[in-house]
Amino acid sequence: MSTVQSTSRRKAPVERAAEIARTAREIALVEGLSAITLRGVASRIGVTPALVSHYQPSMDVLVAATFGAIVAAEIGEVAEELAPCETSVATLQALINTLLGPERSAVTAVWLDAWSLGRRHASLAAEVGVQMDAWQAFLSGLLTTGCARGEFRTADPDAVAWQLLAIIDGLNAHAIVRYGDAKRLRGLVRTVAEHELGLPSGALGPADGSVL
């Protein structure tokens, strides 16, 4: 019997499956989606690759599920963070601040991995689409609420949501490879959002990207 087999206690199938999923998320956030392999997951858990394969016969499916779980969790975290905001303007300001802050860099890196690896993996590409739609719906809902309250003015909240997400994603992609400073460039996103939503200049914060 191998050392790996003997040092890992037997676990119920549900417990083992959850452990594999949790370990895959940990690997993705530290080493990237490409590091999620049979050997990589098995080594962290202390089991054989064959055991991981028994629960997750397709690494492509595990990678896609891992990406989806990480991004869905982030949306939940951001929604909770924004909940105390009393106005739509304050909510959008807080959203821009958090999405362009360094605290989200680990998830940003996972997004970049997914966009790249998704070119060759259909299951991951499909999950990227699902999560992009989820983020767009989240932001579009925020903008639609702001319009209903009379805080924003736009005929197409859906389009503005896509526009803002594209800019935020681009700035974060630059920052993750140390090209530019996404935090300093918050002002760019604020300026575009103010223009598209009929807000006065400075309504979402200083143009220099600082946070009040």
Side-chain angles (χ1 to χ4, degrees), residues 117-194:
L117 297 175
R119 293 175 302 163
R120 299 184 299 276
H121 302 293
S123 55
L124 179 56
E127 187 61 31
V128 167
V130 169
Q131 298 304 329
M132 289 180 69
D133 286 344
W135 260 111
Q136 191 273 343
F138 178 79
L139 180 52
S140 180
L142 187 164
L143 301 183
T144 299
T145 297
C147 289
R149 290 173 171 174
E151 297 182 48
F152 301 147
R153 295 192 305 277
T154 177
D156 196 345
D158 283 346
V160 175
W162 279 123
Q163 182 179 3
L164 294 180
L165 287 174
I167 297 172
I168 290 169
D169 286 341
L171 292 177
N172 276 331
H174 292 173
I176 208 71
V177 293
R178 295 174 291 281
Y179 178 78
D181 182 349
K183 186 170 61 174
R184 275 196 311 105
L185 293 174
R186 288 187 182 112
L188 173 62
V189 183
R190 291 169 180 165
T191 298
V192 172
E194 289 164 356

Side-chain angles (χ1 to χ4, degrees), residues 97-108 172 175-176 181-184 186:
N97 288 343
T98 190
L99 291 185
L100 288 167
E103 301 81 9
R104 301 283 167 192
S105 60
V107 180
T108 297
N172 276 331
I176 208 71
D181 182 349
K183 186 170 61 174
R184 275 196 311 105
R186 288 187 182 112

Side-chain angles (χ1 to χ4, degrees), residues 26-84:
E26 293 170 355
I27 291 173
L29 288 169
V30 175
E31 302 177 45
L33 291 175
S34 61
I36 300 175
T37 63
L38 279 175
R39 290 186 179 279
V41 174
S43 176
R44 283 211 176 200
I45 295 174
V47 299
T48 64
L51 182 62
V52 175
S53 180
H54 173 74
Y55 285 93
Q56 289 288 346
S58 170
M59 282 294 101
D60 285 355
V61 171
L62 178 59
V63 168
T66 300
F67 165 76
I70 289 172
V71 175
E74 183 189 35
I75 293 178
E77 291 168 6
V78 170
E80 186 174 345
E81 183 179 335
L82 301 182

